Amino acid sequence: MQFTYYGHATFCIETAGKKLLFDPFFTGNPLAKDIDIMAIQADYIFVSHGHGDHVADLLAIAKNTGALIIAMHEITQWALQQGCKNVHPLNLGGAKQFDFGKVKMVPALHSSVLPDGTYGGNPAGFVVSTAEGNFYYAGDTALSIEMQLIPMYAPIDFAILPIGDNFTMGYEDACKAAQFVATQKVIGVHYDTFGYIEIDHNKAMDHFAANNLALILPPLHTNFTIH
Ligand code: NI
Ligand code: MN
């Protein structure tokens, strides 16, 4: 699998020749200043919840690419009302097979409202199982005991977890989350974008290392292989 990080919680995973874009936030994202959103390609767009720092460019990229939006039912309804044509609604606990693999929507402990005030349903994370490996994207969330269920659904090769604290769990709870989902490898997201969520990289790396886990702080706008 190929992973490209655009800062905050915006990333693209390429598997089986399909581009899966997560939580598109380019406009207003200080870590994605030079990105032309019309150049962003996607076959699928996953949305974890309705906050602006996760949906800022959802409508524009969905309309430009025709990508299928996979999100909580209320968010897909909103996207349809805003002129998007291609959506797949899920709700917590629901799984569906797509051409690149299977997606299961799992709970996140957070809040969810769209930028215009529309109710976004419950916030969510995703467990994605593919022929090239399985991963868990937690979305914005606190540490949750529910995460202990995730290894029952699929052995997790890597987890993409928020580590910035303040609005989500910080790196110490993310380390516990990695233990709950039984993965060795974490890609940290949702940090350093704004002052509230700046973290000490060395402390975070050391904390994971002390727990015999790998924390990857992904390089910006650079493709790398992950499995
Ligand atoms: Ni949020
Ligand atoms: Mn957020």
Side-chain angles (χ1 to χ4, degrees), residues 106-150:
V106 294
L109 273 184
H110 193 66
S111 52
S112 181
V113 64
L114 289 148
D116 64 4
T118 303
Y119 173 60
N122 284 307
F126 301 98
V127 177
V128 180
S129 309
T130 80
E132 289 184 276
N134 310 321
F135 64 90
Y136 165 51
Y137 170 46
D140 281 10
T141 186
L143 179 66
S144 160
I145 203 82
E146 306 283 336
M147 292 168 179
Q148 292 186 358
L149 295 174
I150 285 169

Side-chain angles (χ1 to χ4, degrees), residues 140-217:
D140 281 10
T141 186
L143 179 66
S144 160
I145 203 82
E146 306 283 336
M147 292 168 179
Q148 292 186 358
L149 295 174
I150 285 169
M152 291 169 42
Y153 305 141
I156 301 298
D157 296 296
F158 63 95
I160 301 124
L161 304 178
I163 58 170
D165 225 330
N166 196 83
F167 299 115
T168 66
M169 57 189 176
Y171 64 81
E172 287 166 311
D173 280 352
C175 189
K176 291 192 187 84
Q179 291 161 345
F180 283 1
V181 307
T183 190
Q184 300 296 312
K185 204 179 292 178
V186 170
I187 298 178
V189 298
H190 214 277
Y191 67 97
D192 283 1
T193 324
F194 315 111
Y196 285 129
I197 58 174
E198 276 171 14
I199 65 162
D200 183 322
H201 292 200
N202 289 331
K203 277 190 185 162
M205 302 289 287
D206 290 350
H207 184 78
F208 271 70
N211 286 277
N212 294 312
L213 296 172
L215 174 64
I216 298 165
L217 299 179

